[in-house]
Amino acid sequence: MSDDTDGNSGTGTIQLSGVLAEVRALAGNRVPAIILYDGDEIGALFSLTLDETVIGRTAACEMVIPESGVSRRHALIRRIRPGSFAFEVEDLGSTNGTLVNGSQVARAVLSDGDKITIGGRILKFAVLDKADLAYQSRIAQMIHVDELTGLLTKRSLYRAFETEIIRALRYKHPITVLMMDLDHFKLVNDTHGHLVGSHCLAEVGKLIRAATRATDMNGRYGGEEFISFLPETDTAPAFIAAERIRTSLAVKTFRHKDTEYHVRISIGLATLPRHGTDVETLVHAADMALYRAKHLGRDRCIVYEPDAAGVAGT
């Protein structure tokens, strides 16, 4: 029987919680891992640190693939002997089955390099050494991280956001989105040139990372726009985080070679579930609050309210 009845269908992303940090911590050892071989997350890596890893569509799974072809609990990857690199995969009665190297299996011992197909997604089982880990980490960074700012690309952040929303709705946790835009950034470019403008964007990326938690997801939305989502964070603490970003820029003097300059930022906030329960709605709400911040004079944080007269700000 199909177990695809919880409504979490459609396309999405694979949840890779703390993967790069975890991999770096294990870099001196061999690490059993799953590598994504297709989709927007191609090259991403999930280290198999647990003895049992459930792959499926719901937030309760260790590895989440929220797509319609994947069952709620699709497959289990199990360590055969404690402390070993021997693993097997077991299908958990999924609707579309589990394939290893193109053949459908109920259970199969995995060898290094085997390709597992789940709901149309191709995953590679591998045991990686230090050199492999460095290579895979670099590949993932090139694909998913904006080279200039060091933040996630818009696409990568959106995919992670989609998965985090599934978890938040399941466990009734809030998420707050910050939409950020540098004020009068064109003036920096026009006055000091594009090299200084690029330096500015890189420095702002560093500042945003420094002002947020390791669990927060930060990305470059495009141009001089940035976006963050703060898991398990309601509006009030998120507003404090937004103010921390804003005031950090307000007091900072940027320096590039012999050039000194200043830049300010406007920030709009929207929170799940109060302002929406999907990526598009929440981002749109935060963008409307950002627009309001610009309209009210810039260099401020604004929380979205449907009625502009009810918008709160600094």
Side-chain angles (χ1 to χ4, degrees):
M1 292 178 62
S2 169
D3 61 357
D4 300 329
T5 58
D6 67 340
N8 289 336
S9 59
T11 59
T13 185
I14 295 174
Q15 178 68 19
L16 304 172
S17 303
V19 168
L20 290 181
E22 189 173 29
V23 165
R24 292 189 186 105
L26 295 168
N29 307 303
R30 296 174 70 209
V31 176
I34 294 293
I35 302 169
L36 280 300
Y37 253 47
D38 65 356
D40 290 331
E41 305 86 2
I42 187 170
L45 181 149
F46 186 99
S47 54
L48 296 171
T49 57
L50 301 175
D51 288 337
E52 293 191 345
T53 297
V54 176
I55 303 173
R57 199 178 66 229
T58 66
C61 298
E62 285 76 34
M63 189 169 181
V64 180
I65 310 178
E67 299 189 5
S68 57
V70 178
S71 295
R72 294 173 63 201
R73 286 170 52 86
H74 194 109
L76 169 69
I77 297 182
R78 178 190 294 114
R79 194 188 303 268
I80 298 174
R81 295 184 300 278
S84 74
F85 297 127
F87 283 81
E88 64 180 5
V89 61
E90 178 183 351
D91 185 79
L92 298 178
S94 67
T95 300
N96 295 317
T98 299
L99 283 69
V100 175
N101 298 326
S103 299
Q104 188 163 340
V105 300
R107 179 182 295 181
V109 175
L110 295 172
S111 298
D112 190 9
D114 280 350
K115 294 180 178 62
I116 308 165
T117 303
I118 292 178
R121 302 302 302 273
I122 301 175
L123 322 174
K124 178 182 176 181
F125 172 75
V127 179
L128 307 176
D129 60 20
K130 187 174 182 178
D132 294 327
L133 288 168
Y135 173 77
Q136 288 298 147
S137 178
R138 179 58 181 154
I139 290 295
Q141 184 172 8
M142 290 173 65
I143 294 172
H144 303 293
V145 176
D146 177 68
E147 185 176 5
L148 179 61
T149 63
L151 306 179
L152 290 174
T153 63
K154 178 182 174 181
R155 172 176 288 186
S156 295
L157 185 131
Y158 264 45
R159 296 305 188 190
F161 193 12
E162 287 169 354
T163 299
E164 192 61 41
I165 283 178
I166 293 174
R167 292 186 181 275
L169 293 174
R170 177 182 177 89
Y171 297 112
K172 296 180 171 34
H173 292 155
I175 303 175
T176 297
V177 181
L178 311 183
M179 282 292 294
M180 299 168 275
D181 185 73
L182 297 181
D183 299 328
H184 302 301
F185 178 72
K186 186 176 183 297
L187 186 61
V188 174
N189 273 332
D190 291 347
T191 303
H192 304 294
H194 290 284
L195 287 178
V196 172
S198 294
H199 174 264
C200 176
L201 294 173
E203 291 299 303
V204 171
K206 292 177 185 176
L207 187 147
I208 291 173
R209 291 199 304 275
T212 52
R213 306 166 300 182
T215 53
D216 299 330
M217 304 292 286
N218 306 304
R220 185 181 181 189
Y221 195 75
E224 66 270 25
E225 289 185 288
F226 302 87
I227 182 171
S228 298
F229 72 81
L230 284 53
E232 299 185 30
T233 308
D234 217 332
T235 308
F239 192 89
I240 293 172
E243 274 291 284
R244 187 162 57 244
I245 294 171
R246 187 192 67 80
T247 55
S248 295
L249 261 74
V251 301
K252 183 175 178 62
T253 299
F254 292 88
R255 293 180 176 86
H256 179 66
K257 297 183 179 180
D258 296 329
T259 301
E260 291 189 357
Y261 61 96
H262 298 85
V263 69
R264 303 289 186 267
I265 197 167
S266 298
I267 304 176
L269 297 85
T271 300
L272 176 149
R274 182 156 64 104
H275 300 132
T277 56
D278 61 80
V279 173
E280 291 75 15
T281 303
L282 286 165
V283 171
H284 177 72
D287 199 43
M288 291 298 97
L290 172 60
Y291 176 81
R292 181 72 173 164
K294 295 285 190 179
H295 179 73
L296 292 175
R298 298 179 170 85
D299 189 23
R300 65 192 65 219
C301 303
I302 294 288
V303 176
Y304 173 77
E305 293 294 345
D307 178 6
V311 172
T314 60

